[in-house]
Amino acid sequence: MKKETEEQEAIAFIDLHAQYERIAKSLHEGIERVCKRGHYIMGEEVLELEGKLAAYAGVKDCVTCGNGTDALLLALMSWGVGPGDTVMVPGYTFVATAGMVAHLGAEVYFVDVEDNFLMSPESLGRGLEDVKKRGGCVKAVIPVDLFGRPCDYDGLREVSGEIKLLADAAQSYGGCYRGHPVGCQGDMTTTSFYPAKPLGCYGEGGAVFCNDAETAQALRLRRSHGEVERYRSEVVGLNSRFDTWQAVVLLEKLKIFEEELESRQRIAERYGMLLRESLGDRVQVPEEGDREGTHFRSTWAQYTIRLSSHRDEVRAYCGERGVPSVVYYPWPLSKQPAYRDYSCVPGGLGMSERLSCEALSLPMSPYLSDGDVERVVDVVTEGVRYYLG
Ligand SMILES: Cc1ncc(COP(=O)(O)O)c(C=O)c1O
């Protein structure tokens, strides 16, 4: 095994420092302003941010909250999801998508994904039939724009009909589907501002997007204990308000967000071109989407390839040579102790199980240089050739 790159400095899996250097000066001024004013939670910058986030997502309202998990919870609570309801969730996703359904006492029902990591309309259709046969009541479907690529919302709507769609866009805020920004495809959309997300703050944060004032008001009430006035609660709620200084961070990052998304797209295209050239069909690379936005634009929260075997060995090989990679979701949720008693679609979750063994996410951030991308591809190529021949 060659280790010719071991003298070189390791590449960052996600480089947040380069971005910080870019925004540091105005960021510090903004934070000082907030500290001097003393309005630390839900200050005026939060309102400004909500307006900007809603406009960017092409919807009327954005309600920020404590994190992307609470965003899902608040949305489901505002639809009254609870015991006796079923919510359809993909088998291959981050745990929060299913967790908040279970937390409310509703039934999680797992459907499969396609080989692009996204909920399969065909599997959803089979799942809905199954729940109907059993006399269940499907209250919502939660498609997840995994790794930043928007789902096939037209296909999902076609099979889900009148059932509400809650788009989990924790990884895809800033993307587009058929020329429309992520945010307007679901009846509600949630996102996360966890630091590693394409639009991340420097702590916890999240938001819900919707298109009617009544829903927005219901969400606002619930994020702050359901209080209509100080110490008088009309509905049950949470403490899930947004910090003013995190709004300052996001306002600064929004100024460079489009440019960063362009850079992520360029890097993804370069990865795709080089990996196809060096490895052909020994790896599956993600579809790059249409730069004009007619079909989809991914935010490239992750650049995730698939290896039909030896994924973990290739990962270790790359790691030893300063090229980090991450295996997201190594077990489908339906196989995990907390979720294995919930129902799965007839025919099972074959693709979710397969992706759990095959997917490998490579370094991605808008600040990866061409040289970094080449180095990642070279090392991955060596590793794949070594183990897969
Ligand atoms: C698909 C998905 N949904 C929900 C969440 C939850 O977001 P948060 O970590 O901000 O609670 C995440 C976070 O990683 C996610 O990736």
Side-chain angles (χ1 to χ4, degrees):
M1 270 193 227
K2 284 193 284 174
K3 285 202 181 181
E4 63 207 17
T5 51
E6 71 193 346
E7 300 304 316
Q8 289 177 261
E9 214 180 296
I11 290 176
F13 183 71
I14 295 177
D15 182 359
L16 291 174
H17 195 76
Q19 183 196 50
Y20 168 72
E21 293 290 342
R22 262 187 95 179
I23 60 172
K25 188 169 174 296
S26 30
L27 183 64
H28 287 262
E29 285 164 7
I31 290 168
E32 192 180 354
R33 199 174 58 238
V34 172
C35 292
K36 283 190 174 152
R37 199 186 324 120
H39 196 171
Y40 306 116
I41 301 170
M42 298 301 302
E44 66 192 54
E45 285 81 358
V46 177
L47 290 184
E48 182 188 346
L49 175 70
E50 289 183 342
K52 290 199 163 139
L53 291 171
Y56 191 81
V59 292
K60 288 198 191 123
D61 262 296
C62 164
V63 178
T64 52
C65 60
N67 52 63
T69 306
D70 281 0
L72 289 163
L73 184 61
L74 288 165
L76 293 167
M77 283 168 82
S78 75
W79 282 340
V81 170
D85 296 327
T86 297
V87 177
M88 317 299 274
V89 168
Y92 187 74
T93 179
F94 180 62
V95 63
T97 318
M100 294 307 97
V101 175
H103 187 70
L104 289 171
E107 284 296 312
V108 177
Y109 188 105
F110 292 112
V111 300
D112 210 1
V113 295
E114 296 185 333
D115 64 0
N116 58 12
F117 310 106
L118 308 174
M119 185 184 270
S120 152
E122 189 270 327
S123 180
L124 175 63
R126 260 187 296 126
L128 291 172
E129 273 298 304
D130 182 45
V131 179
K132 201 168 144 193
K133 262 192 238 149
R134 300 181 195 197
C137 164
V138 178
K139 195 74 175 255
V141 175
I142 315 187
V144 181
D145 297 346
L146 211 72
F147 302 143
R149 174 176 167 170
C151 292
D152 171 9
Y153 283 98
D154 289 349
L156 294 171
R157 276 268 184 224
E158 215 177 297
V159 290
S160 59
E162 298 294 297
I163 301 168
K164 286 191 188 313
L165 289 191
L166 174 56
D168 183 344
Q171 305 182 14
S172 65
Y173 180 80
C176 286
Y177 175 74
R178 297 201 185 282
H180 297 286
V182 162
C184 30
Q185 291 73 28
D187 295 286
M188 269 194 259
T189 299
T190 60
T191 198
S192 162
F193 302 122
Y194 183 77
K197 297 287 188 266
L199 185 66
C201 57
Y202 289 155
E204 302 277 1
V208 188
F209 299 87
C210 64
N211 245 330
D212 71 285
E214 213 176 300
T215 306
Q217 182 52 18
L219 292 164
R220 287 199 168 95
L221 264 187
R222 282 182 171 80
R223 82 172 154 191
S224 190
H225 294 302
E227 286 186 338
V228 277
E229 60 184 277
R230 200 91 173 106
Y231 305 123
R232 197 168 74 84
S233 294
E234 201 169 85
V235 288
V236 173
L238 318 171
N239 170 9
S240 191
R241 297 173 292 243
F242 200 60
D243 290 346
T244 312
W245 86 267
Q246 297 295 358
V248 169
V249 174
L250 290 181
L251 284 167
E252 284 310 315
K253 289 198 181 189
L254 263 181
K255 292 179 191 161
I256 56 171
F257 191 42
E258 260 309 311
E259 205 186 296
E260 290 189 339
L261 289 171
E262 274 293 311
S263 171
R264 286 175 183 271
Q265 178 69 27
R266 266 197 312 277
I267 290 164
E269 287 172 11
R270 193 165 171 75
Y271 262 139
M273 181 189 74
L274 295 174
L275 284 165
R276 277 188 214 101
E277 245 172 49
S278 65
L279 287 167
D281 56 10
R282 271 175 291 182
V283 293
Q284 273 71 57
V285 297
E287 205 183 313
E288 277 128 29
D290 187 338
R291 288 180 68 92
E292 304 309 311
T294 53
H295 177 40
F296 72 86
R297 172 170 86 165
S298 176
T299 57
W300 299 105
Q302 303 299 335
Y303 185 85
T304 306
I305 61 171
R306 289 171 53 206
L307 297 174
S308 58
S309 69
H310 296 89
R311 188 261 321 263
D312 296 337
E313 289 86 347
V314 171
R315 176 169 186 240
Y317 182 101
C318 295
E320 283 165 15
R321 287 153 183 81
V323 171
S325 56
V326 174
V327 173
Y328 288 100
Y329 325 125
W331 302 280
L333 290 176
S334 59
K335 299 263 177 207
Q336 302 196 22
Y339 296 95
R340 67 181 160 219
D341 292 337
Y342 289 109
S343 301
C344 292
V345 68
L349 301 174
M351 185 51 75
S352 301
E353 286 167 24
R354 193 166 155 193
L355 294 174
S356 312
C357 303
E358 294 188 354
L360 187 66
S361 299
L362 304 183
M364 172 53 93
S365 82
Y367 302 96
L368 271 185
S369 67
D370 284 357
D372 290 337
V373 174
E374 276 161 33
R375 185 172 152 212
V376 173
V377 171
D378 285 348
V379 174
V380 169
T381 301
E382 279 172 22
V384 171
R385 289 204 178 129
Y386 186 84
Y387 285 103
L388 279 82

